[in-house]
C-alpha cells in the first residue's frame, strides 16, 4: 500500500488540483457576459451535434439493413470517424451566430454581467430568419429524417421477416425459436424507441416556439410567469433528448453494453495489476 500511495497521491495532485482550479475560475466567471454568451453557444452546439448524430446513427442502421451494396462501403470505422467529425464541426459552426445575439444584462463595477437577447433579435428580419432556420435545422428536419428512415427500415425488416417465415415454415407444427427473428424484433423496438423519444421530448419546445412567434413574447413579468415556466420545461425536455438516445442504444445493443462494462472495469483492473506488481 505504501508503494501505491507514493504513486496515487502525486497523480491525484497533478490531475485534481488543476482541475479544481479551472472549475473554480469558470464558476466564478460564469456571469460575465462573454462567458455567458459562450456557454449559450456551447449548449446549443452540444444539442445540435447530438441531434444530428442521432440522424447519422439512424441512417447507419438503415444502410446496414436495407442497402446491402452500400453497406460494405459506408458501414466502416473510417467512414464513421469522417461522418462523426464532419457533423460535429458543422454543428459547432452553425451555432456560432448565437454568440452575437446576446448583450449584457446589467453592469457591476464596470463589469458586464449576465446575458440576454438583444432587442434587435426580436425586431431584425435577419435574426428572425436565422431563428426560423435554426428551428427547421434542429429539430424539424432531423425529426422528419429519423421518422422516414425508421419507417423504411421497419418496412424492410417486416418484409424480410415475412419472406423468412415463408422459407422456414414450421417443422412438425412446432414453433422453433429463431435468433434472427429475435434480433429483428429488437431492431424494431430500438427504432421506434429512438423516434418516439425524440419526437416526444422535442414537441414541447417546437409548440412553445410557434406560440411565442404568434404572441411575440419578449419579456416575462416575473419568475412565476407561466410563459417562462413553459419555456423552462420545454428546454429541460429538449436537453434530456440529448442523452436519452445514448441510453436507449446502451440498453438495447449487446456490443454497446459489453464495451461499457469494459470501460467501467478498466480502472479497477489497472489497480489490481498495480497491486500485484508491487506485492
Amino acid at each position: 500500500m505504501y508503494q501505491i500511495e507514493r504513486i496515487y497521491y502525486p497523480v491525484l495532485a497533478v490531475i485534481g488540483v488543476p482541475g479544481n482550479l479551472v472549475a473554480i475560475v469558470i464558476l466564478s466567471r460564469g456571469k460575465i457576459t462573454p462567458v455567458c454568451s459562450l456557454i449559450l453557444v456551447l449548449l446549443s452546439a452540444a444539442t445540435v451535434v447530438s441531434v444530428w448524430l442521432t440522424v447519422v446513427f439512424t441512417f447507419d442502421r438503415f444502410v446496414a439493413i436495407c442497402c446491402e451494396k452500400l453497406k460494405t462501403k459506408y458501414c466502416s470505422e473510417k467512414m464513421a470517424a469522417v461522418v462523426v467529425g464532419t457533423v460535429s464541426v458543422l454543428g459547432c459552426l452553425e451555432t456560432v451566430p448565437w454568440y452575437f445575439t446576446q448583450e449584457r444584462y446589467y453592469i457591476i463595477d464596470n463589469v458586464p454581467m449576465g446575458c440576454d437577447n438583444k432587442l434587435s433579435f426580436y425586431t431584425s428580419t435577419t435574426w428572425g430568419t436565422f431563428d426560423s432556420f435554426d428551428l427547421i435545422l434542429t429539430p424539424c428536419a432531423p425529426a422528419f429524417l429519423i421518422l422516414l428512415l425508421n419507417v423504411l427500415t421497419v418496412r424492410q425488416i417486416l418484409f424480410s421477416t415475412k419472406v423468412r417465415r415463408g422459407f422456414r415454415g414450421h417443422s412438425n407444427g412446432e414453433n422453433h425459436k429463431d435468433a434472427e427473428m429475435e434480433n429483428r424484433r429488437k431492431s424494431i423496438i430500438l427504432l421506434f424507441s429512438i423516434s418516439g423519444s425524440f419526437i416526444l421530448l422535442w414537441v414541447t419546445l417546437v409548440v412553445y416556439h410557434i406560440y411565442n412567434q404568434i404572441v411575440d413574447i419578449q419579456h416575462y413579468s416575473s419568475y412565476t410567469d407561466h410563459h417562462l415556466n413553459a419555456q423552462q420545461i420545454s428546454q429541460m425536455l429538449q436537453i434530456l433528448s440529448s442523452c436519452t438516445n445514448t441510453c436507449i442504444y446502451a440498453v438495447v445493443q449487446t456490443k454497446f453494453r459489453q464495451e461499457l462494462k469494459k470501460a467501467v472495469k478498466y480502472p479497477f483492473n489497472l489497480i489490481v495489476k498495480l497491486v500485484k506488481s508491487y506485492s
Side-chain angles (χ1 to χ4, degrees), residues 17 25 27 32 46 60 70 74 90 156 176 186 209-210 214 225 236 249 257:
V17 173
V25 171
L27 291 175
I32 295 177
D60 182 81
L70 185 60
Y74 180 80
L90 293 178
Q156 178 63 29
H176 296 283
K186 290 181 178 179
H209 184 87
I210 296 174
I214 297 174
D225 192 322
M236 290 168 61
Y249 276 109
R257 294 198 303 269

Side-chain angles (χ1 to χ4, degrees), residues 20-270:
N20 284 322
L21 289 176
V22 171
I24 291 171
V25 171
I26 291 175
L27 291 175
S28 65
R29 295 174 60 87
K31 295 184 179 296
I32 295 177
T33 302
V35 178
C36 177
S37 302
L38 180 60
I39 291 174
L40 175 64
V41 173
L42 293 177
L43 177 61
S44 180
T47 303
V48 171
V49 171
S50 173
V51 168
W52 281 98
L53 284 180
T54 303
V55 176
V56 170
F57 295 152
T58 306
F59 181 74
D60 182 81
R61 296 192 65 83
F62 168 76
V63 172
I65 295 174
C66 303
C67 308
E68 288 294 331
K69 294 182 179 179
L70 185 60
K71 178 180 177 180
T72 305
K73 182 179 180 181
Y74 180 80
C75 299
S76 64
E77 293 184 6
K78 183 178 180 180
M79 180 60 70
V82 172
V83 172
V84 171
T86 302
V87 169
S88 300
V89 172
L90 293 178
C92 292
L93 292 176
E94 189 271 332
T95 58
V96 169
W98 284 112
Y99 184 89
F100 303 99
T101 66
Q102 303 297 300
E103 64 180 0
R104 66 176 185 267
Y105 191 68
Y106 49 86
I107 296 178
I108 298 180
D109 296 330
N110 294 323
V111 178
M113 304 289 285
C115 58
D116 195 9
N117 291 330
K118 295 179 179 178
L119 180 62
S120 60
F121 178 76
Y122 301 101
T123 59
S124 171
T125 304
T126 302
W127 284 124
T129 303
F130 170 75
D131 190 30
S132 300
F133 172 77
D134 183 73
L135 182 67
I136 294 173
L137 190 65
T138 309
C140 295
F144 172 77
L145 291 174
I146 290 172
L147 189 60
L148 175 63
L149 290 170
N150 283 343
V151 168
L152 294 176
T153 304
V154 169
R155 187 183 68 171
Q156 178 63 29
I157 292 174
L158 294 177
F159 175 77
S160 301
T161 300
K162 184 177 180 180
V163 173
R164 183 178 178 84
R165 283 175 176 171
F167 278 115
R168 287 186 73 250
H170 296 283
S171 284
N172 299 324
E174 297 180 358
N175 185 19
H176 296 283
K177 187 175 181 179
D178 190 344
E180 180 64 23
M181 299 284 281
E182 183 66 17
N183 290 334
R184 293 178 180 179
R185 185 183 69 84
K186 290 181 178 179
S187 295
I188 293 177
I189 294 175
L190 172 64
L191 296 175
F192 277 119
S193 299
I194 293 294
S195 301
S197 67
F198 184 89
I199 293 173
L200 288 175
L201 293 176
W202 273 93
V203 67
T204 305
L205 183 66
V206 174
V207 171
Y208 176 81
H209 184 87
I210 296 174
Y211 173 78
N212 190 22
Q213 294 295 319
I214 297 174
V215 180
D216 192 23
I217 303 173
Q218 298 185 10
H219 299 284
Y220 302 109
S221 58
S222 67
Y223 288 108
T224 59
D225 192 322
H226 64 279
H227 293 110
L228 175 61
N229 295 333
Q231 181 192 33
Q232 292 172 325
I233 293 173
S234 64
Q235 289 178 341
M236 290 168 61
L237 293 175
Q238 169 246 311
I239 294 173
L240 177 62
S241 175
S242 300
C243 64
T244 52
N245 293 332
T246 304
C247 295
I248 293 173
Y249 276 109
V251 170
V252 177
Q253 296 294 319
T254 303
K255 190 172 181 179
F256 193 104
R257 294 198 303 269
Q258 292 174 349
E259 294 297 324
L260 183 61
K261 289 179 181 178
K262 289 180 182 178
V264 173
K265 292 179 179 178
Y266 179 78
F268 299 99
N269 293 336
L270 187 61

